[in-house]
């Protein structure tokens, strides 16, 4: 199975400041169709996970543009350009290049 | 709008069975892979199984050792997870999600508690 490793596991950020979360996979996430199946999910307290970004950098419908994704191969990053109160959540990376799909441990973002 | 609503969770004794359902609306169900994922405080998010739009392709996590079976009814726009030989460690919130590669919409989840 592909192991997804996120760092840090916890992040305290002041409102309006940037935040960055790293995700590293144990194998390449490039699929046979040429796409790299790395997604980022946001889970607010008491809510189900919600898709933020798919295929490294494509923001899903309705996701604010302060969220951005980057990376390639096995190293990926989620950035929040200016953290807002509603961004308090746990963020997960997920790979869909191989079965079984696997997730990072999650990064908890809190306001400082 | 796309909606996914899980049901069927509850309290069950070890060794028992449950069938989870996920009713959907707002998209062409028969065109979509569907996936089951669960979440526990200890193991985080765990992918369980997915099924193609026609139902002809199914994959499941090896860790389930054949205890869980995914199925769908395209006439009812619903996907199911039959869970047998339940163990205490299967206690989790179970989510259905649309998609086989990118899971773009998720349900609210249904809680399954396995305990004597």
């Amino acid at each position: 199975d592909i192991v997804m490793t996120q760092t840090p596991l916890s992040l305290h950020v002041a409102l309006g400041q940037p935040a960055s979360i790293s995700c590293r996979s144990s194998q390449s996430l490039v699929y046979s169709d040429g796409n790299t199946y790395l997604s980022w999910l946001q889970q607010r307290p008491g809510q189900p996970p919600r898709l933020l970004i798919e295929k490294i950098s494509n923001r899903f419908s309705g996701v604010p543009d302060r969220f951005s994704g980057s990376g390639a191969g096995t190293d990926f990053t989620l950035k929040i350009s200016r953290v807002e109160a509603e961004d308090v959540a746990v963020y997960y990376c997920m790979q869909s290049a191989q079965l079984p799909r696997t997730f990072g441990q999650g990064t908890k973002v809190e306001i400082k | 709008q796309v909606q996914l609503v899980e049901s069927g969770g509850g309290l069950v004794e070890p060794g028992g069975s449950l069938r989870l359902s996920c009713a959907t609306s707002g998209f062409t169900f028969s065109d979509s892979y569907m996936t089951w994922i669960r979440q526990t405080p200890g193991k985080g998010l765990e992918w369980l199984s997915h099924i193609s739009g026609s139902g002809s392709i199914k994959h499941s996590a090896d860790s389930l050792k054949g205890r869980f079976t995914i199925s769908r009814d395209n006439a009812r726009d619903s996907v199911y997870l039959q869970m047998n030989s339940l163990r205490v460690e299967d206690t989790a919130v179970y989510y259905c999600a649309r998609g086989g590669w990118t899971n773009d919409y998720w349900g609210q989840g249904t809680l399954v508690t396995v305990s004597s």
Side-chain angles (χ1 to χ4, degrees):
Chain A
D1 298 1
I2 295 178
V3 177
M4 306 296 288
T5 304
Q6 287 182 232
T7 55
L9 298 184
S10 178
L11 205 47
H12 290 79
V13 186
L15 288 172
Q17 293 301 300
S20 181
I21 301 169
S22 174
C23 176
R24 178 166 290 178
S25 59
S26 61
Q27 301 175 39
S28 171
L29 301 185
V30 179
Y31 189 59
S32 55
D33 64 4
N35 288 307
T36 300
Y37 286 96
L38 185 283
S39 300
W40 289 97
L41 307 170
Q42 177 194 61
Q43 187 173 30
R44 291 174 172 147
Q47 294 294 313
R50 161 200 179 201
L51 177 67
L52 287 181
I53 288 173
E54 60 162 332
K55 292 182 229 170
I56 303 177
S57 59
N58 298 309
R59 269 190 307 276
F60 188 52
S61 173
V63 174
D65 60 8
R66 65 179 180 276
F67 290 94
S68 64
S70 63
T74 62
D75 284 287
F76 307 94
T77 302
L78 174 70
K79 291 182 178 174
I80 310 173
S81 59
R82 293 172 303 279
V83 169
E84 297 189 5
E86 67 178 17
D87 301 335
V88 167
V90 179
Y91 294 83
Y92 298 92
C93 58
M94 173 189 176
Q95 69 81 19
S96 306
Q98 285 189 24
L99 293 169
R101 313 307 191 207
T102 49
F103 298 84
Q105 317 96 300
T107 296
K108 189 172 187 178
V109 172
E110 297 175 289
I111 303 300
K112 190 186 295 184
Chain B
Q1 71 280 24
V2 174
Q3 289 193 312
L4 296 85
V5 180
E6 301 93 338
S7 61
L11 176 63
V12 61
E13 293 187 346
S17 297
L18 273 180
R19 187 193 192 212
L20 305 184
S21 300
C22 172
T24 75
S25 61
F27 64 100
T28 305
F29 181 73
S30 58
D31 286 348
S32 298
Y33 266 76
M34 296 297 295
T35 297
W36 284 97
I37 292 162
R38 69 184 177 185
Q39 185 171 33
T40 63
K43 291 186 70 178
L45 290 163
E46 181 182 10
W47 180 89
L48 299 176
S49 189
H50 72 199
I51 186 169
S52 64
S54 67
S56 61
I57 299 171
K58 303 178 186 180
H59 292 108
S60 295
D62 289 343
S63 59
L64 299 178
K65 294 183 170 57
R67 297 184 298 121
F68 293 7
T69 303
I70 193 170
S71 63
R72 65 190 296 154
D73 184 342
N74 286 350
R76 289 185 162 80
D77 291 348
S78 294
V79 62
Y80 308 98
L81 188 67
Q82 178 67 43
M83 305 188 296
N84 298 329
S85 303
L86 283 161
R87 305 168 179 169
V88 170
E89 55 265 34
D90 294 319
T91 295
V93 176
Y94 286 73
Y95 297 103
C96 66
R98 187 178 79 163
W101 281 260
T102 295
N103 298 120
D104 55 2
Y105 291 95
W106 295 57
Q108 289 292 314
T110 187
L111 175 63
V112 172
T113 302
V114 185
S115 175
S116 54

